[in-house]
Amino acid sequence: MITRRFLDFPDFGWRNPFEEMDRVRRYLDQVLGQADAGYRIPQAGVFPLVNLTETKENYILRAELPGVNAEDLDIQATGRNITISGQRTIEPDPNAQYHRREREAGRFSRALSLPGDIDREKIEAQLTNGVLTLTIPKSEKARPKQIQIKG
């Protein structure tokens, strides 16, 4: 306040310098929200959901694949990457009226990059109760090595 009086700065009040930007953002959110309210398309989530854990010898990847058969899956390993792709089929009931339909059918693909080198020749896969478990051995280079101290 004193600086403004002595140096003759214009008085803008004690407003936040970003207040005008916030006001414009709120206005655009309101306008765009009303514009697409009637045209919203449901967004597909990431499928399949996965957990990736690590032990001293292996990476363990668990993917949720309800309604997918083993013969409908393709698992590829290249470098440090694992790709799970396949197709989920859901037979619609022609005599039913849907009130909510969240489970979709169709092709999917999910690629994951692993944190270290892997031994692609020894990967094991198992599908039980809709959960795919991949046991992915680490390469010898990626495994921790105990160093003996001589003395």
Side-chain angles (χ1 to χ4, degrees):
M1 189 80 161
I2 295 172
T3 307
R4 285 191 200 133
R5 286 186 185 160
F6 287 124
L7 299 177
D8 198 28
F9 284 130
D11 184 15
F12 294 114
W14 292 102
R15 295 176 45 182
N16 179 355
F18 298 104
E19 184 176 345
E20 186 65 19
M21 290 173 46
D22 287 340
R23 188 187 66 75
V24 170
R25 182 191 52 79
R26 285 192 306 271
Y27 176 74
L28 286 174
D29 287 345
Q30 179 184 6
V31 170
L32 294 176
Q34 290 174 357
D36 71 351
Y39 302 103
R40 293 195 185 200
I41 298 171
Q43 299 290 321
V46 176
F47 182 81
L49 299 174
V50 299
N51 285 348
L52 179 64
T53 58
E54 178 178 1
T55 65
K56 286 184 180 181
E57 294 83 24
N58 301 310
Y59 296 108
I60 310 294
L61 187 139
R62 292 180 182 89
E64 294 182 1
L65 295 164
V68 178
N69 298 320
E71 53 271 3
D72 295 331
L73 288 173
D74 180 34
I75 302 167
Q76 302 280 327
T78 56
R80 291 183 172 187
N81 298 323
I82 296 287
T83 303
I84 303 168
S85 56
Q87 183 167 349
R88 178 165 61 178
T89 56
I90 300 172
E91 297 298 325
D93 186 354
N95 299 325
Q97 178 183 359
Y98 285 94
H99 292 282
R100 181 175 298 275
R101 185 173 181 170
E102 295 178 353
R103 294 186 63 224
E104 293 296 328
R107 298 203 53 77
F108 61 87
S109 182
R110 181 85 192 263
L112 293 157
S113 181
L114 300 173
D117 294 329
I118 60 174
D119 187 352
R120 296 180 306 185
E121 304 301 321
K122 297 180 182 177
I123 296 175
E124 297 177 5
Q126 182 178 7
L127 183 64
T128 307
N129 296 330
V131 178
L132 174 69
T133 302
L134 296 177
T135 304
I136 308 162
K138 295 179 182 179
S139 71
E140 287 297 323
K141 296 186 301 185
R143 291 184 188 173
K145 183 176 180 181
Q146 181 68 35
I147 307 297
Q148 297 294 326
I149 301 173
K150 296 179 183 177

